[in-house]
Amino acid sequence: MLGKLLKHEWKSVWKIPTILLCVLMGLAVLAGLGFASPIWDSGLEGLGVLAVLSWMVFYFAIMGVSVGIMLYLAVRFYRSMFTDEGYLTHTLPVTTRQLLFSKVLVMAAWIFLSMVGIFISIMIAGGIAVLFLMCQEFSWREMRELLYMLQQMVSSQIGIRFASFFAGILFMIPAMIVYGTMMIVGSISIGQMVSKHKVLGSIGAYFALSTVVQIISMVIVMPMLFYHIVNGTENVFDILTPTYWIMGLLECVLAVGLYFLSEYLIRRRLNLD
């Protein structure tokens, strides 16, 4: 039954995020092609202005798509669980855990896909821009020499520190995705208990939870940063790597707590108008 829930939820959600990501990809191509215009020699006149505007539009599109997908997922979850549509949802012959898990999994998947889509769009725009600049300013030999210098710098100066840093990032990204998903689900689940103002209650719960998490993060991270400062740690990887691991663990714990809280509230304290 969980498979059927996931299939139905995916079909209900996929259209809007897909359209937003496709629009972002198109804007990435336009932003990259902006470098083909005489932006560097035109004094920001004519096509140069259009190139600058294309990159500004692309920048704001990245933020808009990220926030837009998050808002869409939040609204979709709220409507399907706590409005008139929720009466039909909660009559399905499934457990609360199956129902909630299917929605959380699809939401987390789309948050991950949006991050991947944004990364790909940046690579597209940057790749087109770099390719044009290489044709105009650099030779392939100079580019190979530059890449070799970067490789030598990484291998000689960063070494194992970079590997540990990169592993911390790889751990923190999925933790951040799950945590971000559960912040939405948990806030809405708490807010639905406010009978007359569920939306305002959800927004208030989100900001309250965010504030509490920030305070907890500062309490945990600040002593560690102070320790590095006192001991004169100069390598940025030695500072950031443990921070990423600690924040990732904290986000995992909070995500699990919010999941079970949401499941309890939906099973025991469901409030449908």
Side-chain angles (χ1 to χ4, degrees), residues 1-15 76 92 94 98-99 101-107 109-110:
M1 193 63 187
L2 180 60
K4 293 182 179 179
L5 286 173
L6 289 170
K7 183 178 179 180
H8 177 269
E9 187 67 18
W10 184 269
K11 287 183 176 180
S12 301
V13 170
W14 75 272
K15 292 182 180 179
R76 169 66 191 168
L92 295 173
V94 295
Q98 289 176 324
L99 181 62
F101 185 73
S102 66
K103 292 185 176 297
V104 168
L105 190 60
V106 172
M107 290 174 68
W110 271 111

Side-chain angles (χ1 to χ4, degrees), residues 12-46:
S12 301
V13 170
W14 75 272
K15 292 182 180 179
I16 298 300
T18 301
I19 292 173
L20 291 175
L21 290 175
C22 288
V23 171
L24 183 63
M25 296 300 172
L27 292 174
V29 173
L30 293 177
L33 291 175
F35 275 81
S37 65
I39 179 174
W40 310 115
D41 302 323
S42 63
L44 299 182
E45 296 176 0

Side-chain angles (χ1 to χ4, degrees), residues 140-239:
W140 288 105
R141 180 180 178 182
E142 291 171 334
M143 182 55 63
R144 286 197 300 269
E145 291 177 354
L146 177 60
L147 291 176
Y148 178 76
M149 291 174 58
L150 291 175
Q151 181 183 1
Q152 291 297 110
M153 182 182 67
V154 169
S155 60
S156 62
Q157 296 185 13
I158 299 176
I160 191 65
R161 287 189 176 97
F162 180 77
S164 179
F165 171 76
F166 188 69
I169 292 179
L170 290 181
F171 171 71
M172 187 174 177
I173 288 176
M176 181 175 60
I177 292 172
V178 176
Y179 166 72
T181 303
M182 289 316 306
M183 279 290 290
I184 295 174
V185 172
S187 299
I188 295 175
S189 300
I190 295 172
Q192 60 91 25
M193 294 191 297
V194 182
S195 300
K196 300 298 183 180
H197 304 284
K198 292 182 179 179
V199 175
L200 292 177
S202 300
I203 296 173
Y206 183 87
F207 282 105
L209 288 173
S210 298
T211 302
V212 172
V213 171
Q214 288 177 2
I215 294 174
I216 295 174
S217 301
M218 291 180 62
V219 171
I220 294 175
V221 173
M222 288 304 294
M224 182 182 63
L225 294 178
F226 181 75
Y227 170 81
H228 284 294
I229 293 173
V230 171
N231 288 272
T233 303
E234 296 181 357
N235 192 296
V236 66
F237 294 108
D238 292 338
I239 300 175

Side-chain angles (χ1 to χ4, degrees), residues 64-76:
V65 167
S66 178
V67 174
I69 290 177
M70 295 283 285
L71 289 176
Y72 172 75
L73 294 174
V75 171
R76 169 66 191 168

